[in-house]
Amino acid sequence: MFAFKNRIYYSLKFSKCCQTRNFRVGKPALDGVNLKGRSFLTLKDFNAEEIKHILWVSADLKHRIKHRGEYVPLLQGKSIAMIFEKRSTRTRMSTETGFSLLGGHPCFLTPQDIHLGVNESTTDTARVLSGLADIVLARVYSHSSLEHLDKDASIPIINGLSDLYHPIQILADLLTLQEHYGSLKGLTLAWIGDGNNVLHSFMMSLAKLGVNLKVATPKFGTKLQFLTDPVEAARDSSVLVTDTWVSMGQEEEKKKRLKDFHGYQITMQTGSVAAPDWTFLHCLPRKAEEVDDEVFYSRHSLVFSEAENRKWSIMGLVVCILTDYTPQIPKLKF
């Protein structure tokens, strides 16, 4: 119904020691993970230890900068090119503020500044940006644009969102849940809503970390067995998650989608069958038909911590890709 079958098919197919005030860069971390120079297009390409390492670095930076007030200029002299075909509050703010906090320089490029494959070929854009920046974060309509950039660029490419995946959102969600529960293994996450790019990224990552996943969406043409009853999906689940029912570019489908998703609003009644300590996530912005105010502003809701962790997780990811930084806090429990 929502091209979900094709999306799922596609998803499954495919020291130098520096010392400056209060920070250090040195040998790769003690866990043996080294992500320097890697692109980040989909979590399918990262194993459990690599995902855990990114979250560890993210938590470390949050602890040092937010809680201890340290200056940690790990990205001093570095620049990031931010290509935004689709607008965003959280992706732009988290990347710009996070990169700046680490001493780097973010450069924001709208469709008026750069139009991939139109005024200039994507190949030429990739090569030009490779000489002007150290890394690119691109928020695009088509995932193939990211793959094209990655093929022709000599610098790492980060997926800021595409039609198929939203991996940086999942890093923030995992960091939020690890902070709240103290561990991820054994949690059950219930997805209630549209089978979109966020769900695809959960599918590419949760099993690696020992997290169970249940999905409730309206019926669609696929052989995969998913629930259609949101209450059954929520039953005994630790985390209830939804997202927008009408993504950018789907405005013409709004009337039909609202009809198709009738009954999928997350309410306290949905939560009543979940685990006693259930929590709620939404990548924002949210609409009232997706989750009511009672849940959204309740003690169960982690949405604002989740939004803040977009900054710390993107910082952790970029530090992993551009430096040899070793976290100073103990390894996280997963």
Side-chain angles (χ1 to χ4, degrees):
M1 180 180 292
F2 307 121
F4 192 58
K5 180 178 180 180
N6 290 336
R7 290 179 177 180
I8 292 297
Y9 174 78
Y10 189 98
S11 298
L12 299 178
K13 190 180 83 167
F14 302 53
S15 123
K16 175 182 175 179
C17 283
C18 268
Q19 291 192 344
T20 303
R21 183 170 59 116
N22 290 328
F23 88 105
R24 60 193 174 93
V25 180
K27 298 178 181 179
L30 299 178
D31 57 5
V33 174
N34 189 343
L35 302 177
K36 194 171 184 180
R38 293 268 300 272
S39 286
F40 188 75
L41 304 189
T42 167
L43 286 161
K44 180 177 75 72
D45 299 331
F46 290 77
N47 63 37
E49 293 308 310
E50 291 169 337
I51 297 171
K52 291 176 183 178
H53 182 80
I54 296 169
L55 297 176
W56 182 25
V57 174
S58 303
D60 175 87
L61 294 174
K62 184 175 184 178
H63 174 73
R64 297 187 64 191
I65 297 171
K66 179 178 181 178
H67 299 300
R68 288 171 49 181
E70 295 184 23
Y71 178 51
V72 190
L74 294 168
L75 301 181
Q76 190 168 0
K78 304 287 187 183
S79 61
I80 183 170
M82 301 165 54
I83 301 173
F84 276 53
E85 291 185 339
K86 303 176 75 172
R87 67 186 184 276
S88 170
T89 300
R90 280 148 294 278
T91 302
R92 180 176 179 179
M93 284 295 295
S94 61
T95 305
E96 287 193 353
T97 59
F99 210 84
S100 298
L101 268 177
L102 293 167
H105 180 70
C107 304
F108 181 69
L109 301 169
T110 70
Q112 286 68 48
D113 303 306
I114 185 170
H115 204 171
L116 288 175
V118 178
N119 297 326
E120 182 176 50
S121 72
T122 303
T123 294
D124 290 356
T125 296
R127 292 179 178 179
V128 168
L129 291 179
S130 295
L132 298 175
D134 298 281
I135 193 167
V136 172
L137 181 143
R139 184 177 169 91
V140 299
Y141 283 99
S142 173
H143 192 76
S144 62
S145 297
L146 291 168
E147 295 176 325
H148 196 163
L149 281 172
D150 190 47
K151 175 177 177 292
D152 292 316
S154 59
I155 58 176
I157 307 295
I158 293 177
N159 180 358
L161 174 140
S162 72
D163 58 336
L164 288 178
Y165 302 112
H166 197 0
I168 60 173
Q169 177 64 53
I170 283 8
L171 292 180
D173 291 357
L174 294 174
L175 181 61
T176 303
L177 293 175
Q178 198 284 331
E179 288 176 340
H180 182 81
Y181 289 103
S183 177
L184 297 176
K185 188 174 182 180
L187 294 178
T188 296
L189 188 146
W191 177 272
I192 300 173
D194 192 15
N196 63 11
N197 49 7
V198 178
L199 174 58
H200 299 167
S201 290
F202 273 130
M203 294 174 69
M204 296 295 107
S205 56
L206 292 187
K208 299 174 185 177
L209 300 172
V211 178
N212 304 300
L213 174 64
K214 296 193 289 185
V215 178
T217 67
K219 292 180 180 179
F220 47 82
T222 174
K223 294 181 180 179
L224 293 175
Q225 296 298 308
F226 283 26
L227 299 167
T228 57
D229 184 346
V231 174
E232 284 307 306
R235 193 174 304 281
D236 300 322
S237 294
S238 317
V239 189
L240 307 184
V241 190
T242 193
D243 192 6
T244 181
W245 294 350
V246 185
S247 297
M248 280 182 273
Q250 297 177 331
E251 288 79 6
E252 293 182 0
E253 305 173 28
K254 180 175 180 178
K255 186 175 181 180
K256 184 178 186 302
R257 283 176 166 266
L258 292 179
K259 179 181 178 181
D260 289 334
F261 284 103
H262 179 72
Y264 281 78
Q265 184 191 49
I266 294 180
T267 65
M268 283 298 184
Q269 184 176 356
T270 317
S272 68
V273 301
D277 60 346
W278 68 275
T279 53
F280 172 74
L281 295 178
H282 191 304
C283 72
L284 305 181
R286 70 105 186 193
K287 300 293 189 296
E289 60 265 20
E290 299 153 2
V291 54
D292 67 10
D293 284 354
E294 188 177 8
V295 170
F296 190 76
Y297 295 109
S298 73
R299 62 181 178 83
H300 299 282
S301 178
L302 302 179
V303 294
F304 297 111
S305 295
E306 177 187 14
E308 180 191 341
N309 278 335
R310 287 291 302 276
K311 177 172 73 173
W312 302 110
S313 55
I314 195 66
M315 291 166 66
L317 174 63
V318 173
V319 165
C320 288
I321 293 174
L322 293 182
T323 78
D324 294 317
Y325 178 70
T326 300
Q328 297 186 10
I329 65 171
K331 291 185 68 172
L332 302 181
K333 179 182 178 182
F334 291 100

